[in-house]
Amino acid sequence: MKPDSSFPRLKGLTFSIQTFGCQMNKHDSEHIAGELLACGMEQVKSIEEADVVVFITCCVRESAESRLFGHVSSIKNTALPASSPLTKRVIAIGGCIGQRDGEGLLKRLPHVDVVFGTHNIESLPALLERTLQSEDHVAQTLDASSSFPTDLPLSRESAYAAWLPITIGCDNFCTYCIVPYVRGREKSRPQEDIVAEARTLIADGVKEITLLGQNVNSYGRDLYGAPRFAEILKAVSDTGIDRLRFATSHPKDLTSEVIKLFGALPNLMPALHLPVQSGSNRILERMNRHYTKDHYLHLIDQLRTACPDIALSTDIIVGFPGETEQDFQDTYDLIERVGYSQVFTFKYSPRSGTPAASMPERVPSDVVQRRFDGLLKIVEDHAHMNNAKELDAQVQILVEGTSKKNKGVLVGKTPKNQTVHALLEPEMDIEEIRGKYLDIHITEPKTWYLFGEITSDPYE
Ligand code: 5AD
Ligand code: SF4
């Protein structure tokens, strides 16, 4: 990429991006990396090696915020790299927390230099240049623009699996959720742009595309002619991408038309993340979710009719204000009936400014903990049972890399998004087989992953 000469102070500096949060935040980080590389900066992994550290953060739950504050405080004690031309490391915070807190963050964390929001990631180079020039601390957050932002540079984390945003923002205002306040109203990207980006990704060697949005199912409501999500799925499937996925889906907007595509589009992978949040109709109503437990279970039936082997995952919030033992039992019952491959459980975390934060009837933390622990047990049992069914199965994985704990073990994903581990054979070079498909015979299903033997030749 050609260095951007408008920011002379950035040229040659190293940067590290630390991301806490969802895929949307991770995708924003890919844009930021693209922008900073275009300014002639060099990307490094660790904070220790970096002249500039950019934190991209999520504020959906308090835990992500606490992690951010811990990291930012500990940086004060980390020395700059010996070769650094700076006298002090530059720290920037962006993402949802930047958008929500703006200048307030500079007051809480006085050694932070730059704060930016979710709608002005393209101004980061200018803000960094300003802080380097004047040693002033700068905060800038903008309101959402009225159209879908395009043409930002991008440096993808993976060469073969890509996120492709189709909507940004959210109009749903679930009562516990901060996202609509920090990401703005829902905006859809025109179909031609989505298909054009899918084609470019394929030409770049990408094998797997995940269509991205807070609620991809409501795609198109704000566009002329109101194109539907099913049309987008078909159009992207028609580009010939090997593997197609999407996230996230709101049950109230998941149509029969989309469900049927699971059986019909050969490259639409048999896995769906469908957050239910609670199995109690009373709590669902208080959450402003606009569906009932029965409606959700009906969707699951339809999905399993269209694609019997589909792998389902969900999100659950435990301890929403007013959750009684009976409400919790309803959630437990729903999880038992669906038999998810994976369940992400979260303790309710009050987010200031959301309607639920001022609801009375907080559930005491010991009760939340007991319910949370109760769910983990059943979630683990189901994950174990689902994986046990794969013993002796022959699966095809897309190779991602090696295990963080053991460089001799390769890691890949099946169409159902299960993680597979297998021993890397001595003659195999991971750099050569990353992004290739391998056939694996599953010999040892574990609870959270499958272990197997490679049965195909990656060099063929
Ligand atoms: N407290 C706990 N969990 C939350 N989530 C969103 N907001 C909150 C909150 N205030 C969870 C939901 C959502 C996931 C991304 O995070 O389950 O699906
Ligand atoms: Fe938050 Fe609800 Fe929008 Fe999801 S659909 S981002 S939970 S408001």
Side-chain angles (χ1 to χ4, degrees), residues 149-217:
T150 45
D151 294 337
L152 295 181
L154 182 75
S155 167
R156 286 198 322 272
E157 220 181 283
S158 157
Y160 54 86
W163 291 301
L164 201 174
I166 66 163
T167 66
I168 52 169
C170 182
D171 284 352
N172 289 307
F173 293 94
C174 302
T175 53
Y176 50 82
C177 185
I178 192 89
V179 168
Y181 307 93
V182 289
R183 291 269 171 192
R185 303 304 299 262
E186 183 176 287
K187 280 178 288 293
S188 307
R189 189 171 182 186
Q191 175 166 339
E192 319 76 87
D193 291 3
I194 296 172
V195 171
E197 186 169 346
R199 293 222 166 89
T200 310
L201 290 171
I202 295 171
D204 282 354
V206 165
K207 307 267 178 65
E208 178 173 306
I209 288 178
T210 302
L211 303 178
L212 201 58
Q214 306 294 345
N215 174 16
V216 288
N217 303 86

Side-chain angles (χ1 to χ4, degrees), residues 324-336:
T324 62
E325 213 51 45
Q326 182 56 50
D327 295 320
F328 174 68
Q329 283 308 320
D330 289 344
T331 300
Y332 193 94
D333 173 70
L334 179 134
I335 295 179
E336 195 146 53

Side-chain angles (χ1 to χ4, degrees), residues 60-61 176-177 275 277 315-317 346-351:
V60 163
R61 287 173 300 277
Y176 50 82
C177 185
Q277 314 296 359
D315 292 343
I316 300 281
I317 297 179
F346 306 107
K347 292 179 191 163
Y348 170 68
S349 165
R351 305 284 67 203

